[in-house]
Amino acid sequence: MIIDDQHYDVIIIGTGAGGGTLAQKLAPTGKKILILERGDFMPLEEQNRAEVDIFKKARYRAPERWYDPEGESFSPLMNYAVGGNTKIYGAALLRMRERDFEEVKHQEGISPEWPVKYNDFEPYYTEAEQLYQVHGQVTNDPTEPPHSADYPYPAISHEPCIQKLVDAVAQKGLHPTSLPMGWTRQEDDPTSDSQVYGIDLALKHPNVTLKTGAKAVRLLTNASGTEVKAVEVEINGQSCLIFADIIVLACGAINSAVLLLRSANEKYPTGLANRSDQVGRNLMKHQMTAIVQLDAAPNSGQFPRSVAVNDFYWGDENFSYPMGHIYNTGGLLQDVIFAESPPIFSVLTKAIPQSGLKQLAMRSIGWWAQTETLPDANNRVRVSENKLYLDYTSNNAEAHDRLVYRWLEVLKSIDKQRANVYPRGEVPVQVMANQCGTCRFGEDPNTSVLNSNCRTHDVENLYVVDSSFFPSGSGVMPALTVIANALRVGDHLISILN
């Protein structure tokens, strides 16, 4: 095994929304920072999904096999590259609602209270929106939390086909609003991601080093288990030990938990920092259903998402529990997650070749219905015989079904002139979008993995800044909250480093 002769102040493992953002936050300190990324830089033509066939199977899948509870293997939809999953996400950057930080009663259970509240996050939400060039507009969304500043850029304009629907939905007494989107405004690379606004900015500082093709496989502690002393890394098939004062995990909710579980030692036989037995547990990812509205008029199939409807976020007149979030997919030909659910067109396209599917997509308008799933200790990531198992059963099903059918009712009520079909398709478990919750934070070390600063309760110099820390998932995408939290934890680390 090679031992790196460099000693770093901070090692950040992962370059997604949490790791990339934290890297740019810490870079100006002048401290010696190493960033580890198991993937490489993603070619621009793969990032610009208007230029590729997103319906091609395995295009955006990780090159590894995971296992379901029955032992069947699958390849997860996620991305190993500089920028992580933000290289293939939809760039919708929403704030969690104020009530999401409190205990919320759902029909099937409880979303637990967060140890840090909306007012603590608000300045970091504002900082995150500035950093990631979020385009939006604070309007009459009944669930929108207070903002201390306007969005830095105006909302993205609706496509004509979307504007027509927005006007019709508003006439029904609902409140369609602009979907906050991270946007670079560059034609060749429009998506605002953590490479562009995290890693690239951090690497402008000479004290920051990035190693790609570097997979962290184990964390090694001192004899008492109170500190991580080194990270074992595989680079080009060779093992290397790298030493640092502070270690930050940002591998994604699943892989950060896996790294801790694979770092078990005498002090922590069930996984590093796992005295609470919570590492890997409480995995959450939204229930998501794609709804396709067939349209007589063709569109490009390639336009950004731009509208959200949150009137049913906390329920409706017939259901007093939270239901969730509605937003449009943008052009169907560039929505990676949508491409994973071709059964949505199955009743229409059994005899239609792939080219026909594309033509159909260009005469369609897509919507996502998205509902919070509740934390469940049995929904977990586990490692057995060096295999990664995903034990996961979705929940909160009636709330999601009500949201889907409520939105179908709205669409049908504004489109009686045409005999449109509204097929729907649920996202399969292999899609890792919006994963969170496997190392949740809290004040009690017996029921949580991290404290309120996202440092592990058990190991003094070990932090986690991806979506692992979520104690509940809320009904909106987690990306902006991950970014804001990385900025918040960054301020804490700067106070320690200085």
Side-chain angles (χ1 to χ4, degrees):
M1 181 178 294
I2 299 171
I3 296 179
D4 193 318
D5 59 2
Q6 302 290 318
H7 186 96
Y8 296 90
D9 295 298
V10 182
I11 293 177
I12 300 171
I13 306 173
T15 58
T21 302
L22 180 66
Q24 70 80 34
K25 180 80 172 186
L26 298 183
T29 63
K31 299 297 182 179
K32 198 170 185 180
I33 299 168
L34 174 65
I35 308 165
L36 299 175
E37 169 55 55
R38 67 188 294 177
D40 209 330
F41 287 93
M42 191 173 179
L44 188 58
E45 60 269 19
E46 289 288 308
Q47 301 172 42
N48 188 347
R49 293 182 292 278
E51 302 296 326
V52 300
D53 176 11
I54 65 165
F55 289 101
K56 181 180 178 182
K57 286 297 179 183
R59 182 177 290 280
Y60 295 110
R61 289 181 177 269
E64 60 184 356
R65 306 299 293 179
W66 296 358
Y67 295 83
D68 65 20
E70 286 71 45
E72 295 294 326
S73 69
F74 63 91
S75 179
L77 178 74
M78 58 190 301
N79 196 50
Y80 295 146
V82 177
N85 284 325
T86 68
K87 303 303 289 187
I88 60 172
Y89 77 154
L93 297 175
L94 293 89
R95 298 181 177 208
M96 284 173 48
R97 283 32 201 160
E98 280 186 282
R99 270 180 63 190
D100 284 324
F101 290 85
E102 308 295 337
E103 180 180 283
V104 176
K105 292 183 179 179
H106 294 257
Q107 186 189 37
E108 293 190 16
I110 299 292
S111 277
E113 180 181 5
W114 286 42
V116 178
K117 304 301 184 182
Y118 177 79
N119 286 340
D120 300 305
F121 264 84
E122 200 287 328
Y124 295 106
Y125 275 139
T126 298
E127 184 180 350
E129 289 161 352
Q130 296 286 333
L131 176 62
Y132 278 73
Q133 296 194 4
V134 177
H135 291 58
Q137 183 180 5
V138 181
T139 56
N140 61 343
D141 181 342
T143 71
E144 185 68 35
H147 289 233
S148 61
D150 289 336
Y151 287 107
Y153 297 94
I156 292 172
S157 299
H158 302 309
E159 285 285 300
C161 61
I162 300 298
Q163 185 63 60
K164 179 179 64 175
L165 284 167
V166 166
D167 295 340
V169 169
Q171 288 177 4
K172 294 293 180 180
L174 301 177
H175 303 82
T177 57
S178 297
L179 185 66
M181 293 288 295
W183 213 245
T184 66
R185 299 179 295 170
Q186 298 173 9
E187 289 188 9
D188 63 337
D189 188 13
T191 302
S192 176
D193 60 54
S194 63
Q195 178 196 334
V196 176
Y197 293 120
I199 299 301
D200 289 351
L201 296 180
L203 291 177
K204 292 181 179 180
H205 297 261
N207 54 300
V208 178
T209 302
L210 169 68
K211 290 184 185 292
T212 59
K215 179 184 177 182
V217 295
R218 194 160 58 109
L219 306 177
L220 288 82
T221 70
N222 58 8
S224 62
T226 57
E227 290 187 350
V228 175
K229 303 304 291 184
V231 181
E232 182 180 342
V233 183
E234 286 182 0
I235 303 175
N236 297 323
Q238 207 158 25
S239 292
C240 177
L241 280 186
I242 308 177
F243 293 82
D245 295 328
I246 294 174
I247 310 297
V248 183
L249 305 190
C251 315
I254 291 174
N255 280 313
S256 283
V258 167
L259 182 55
L260 292 174
L261 293 172
R262 285 180 168 155
S263 300
N265 57 28
E266 249 182 63
K267 178 72 174 178
Y268 301 103
T270 63
L272 186 60
N274 196 26
R275 175 165 51 106
S276 62
D277 190 34
Q278 295 299 305
V279 171
R281 295 187 182 273
N282 303 296
L283 172 65
M284 295 169 282
K285 64 190 198 75
H286 291 122
Q287 288 199 67
M288 297 176 68
T289 293
I291 300 169
V292 173
Q293 178 182 6
L294 301 181
D295 199 356
N299 60 62
S300 68
Q302 299 170 350
F303 54 88
R305 303 174 180 185
S306 62
V307 63
V309 178
N310 290 313
D311 291 86
F312 315 119
Y313 195 88
W314 299 117
D316 64 9
E317 63 275 8
N318 298 314
F319 191 72
S320 59
Y321 299 101
M323 289 162 63
H325 171 61
I326 298 288
Y327 59 103
N328 74 307
T329 66
L332 296 191
L333 295 181
Q334 58 189 33
D335 190 305
V336 172
I337 302 175
F338 175 88
E340 288 297 309
S341 301
I344 196 167
F345 281 136
S346 62
V347 295
L348 305 172
T349 60
K350 288 181 178 179
I352 298 177
Q354 204 79 325
S355 59
L357 183 59
K358 292 180 182 179
Q359 289 301 315
L360 184 57
M362 293 172 68
R363 288 186 177 271
S364 306
I365 295 172
W367 302 91
W368 283 112
Q370 181 172 290
T371 300
E372 179 175 356
T373 56
L374 306 179
D376 180 345
N378 294 316
N379 282 343
R380 64 183 299 192
V381 185
R382 59 186 174 88
V383 176
S384 178
E385 297 180 349
N386 207 33
K387 293 180 179 179
L388 192 165
Y389 285 85
L390 200 64
D391 298 337
Y392 190 81
T393 302
S394 192
N395 57 43
N396 211 15
E398 183 178 344
H400 185 64
D401 287 342
R402 283 177 176 269
L403 178 66
V404 170
Y405 285 112
R406 189 72 175 87
W407 188 241
L408 288 175
E409 286 178 351
V410 171
L411 292 179
K412 291 175 180 178
S413 72
I414 64 178
D415 206 11
K416 292 178 181 176
Q417 299 296 319
R418 285 172 284 172
N420 284 359
V421 181
Y422 299 89
R424 51 179 285 195
E426 283 72 30
V427 167
V429 70
Q430 292 88 348
V431 175
M432 293 296 108
N434 301 350
Q435 56 179 275
C436 61
T438 58
C439 298
R440 62 182 178 181
F441 74 163
E443 299 300 337
D444 186 351
N446 294 312
T447 59
S448 59
V449 179
L450 312 172
N451 68 15
S452 59
N453 289 319
C454 290
R455 196 208 77 187
T456 60
H457 289 296
D458 300 342
V459 183
E460 296 173 0
N461 66 335
L462 179 59
Y463 291 77
V464 183
V465 297
D466 51 41
S467 57
S468 302
F469 81 96
F470 282 51
S472 65
S474 86
V476 299
M477 285 69 85
L480 189 72
T481 300
V482 174
I483 293 165
N485 184 64
L487 295 169
R488 184 182 71 90
V489 174
D491 274 346
H492 167 73
L493 290 175
I494 288 169
S495 70
I496 293 175
L497 291 167
N498 290 338

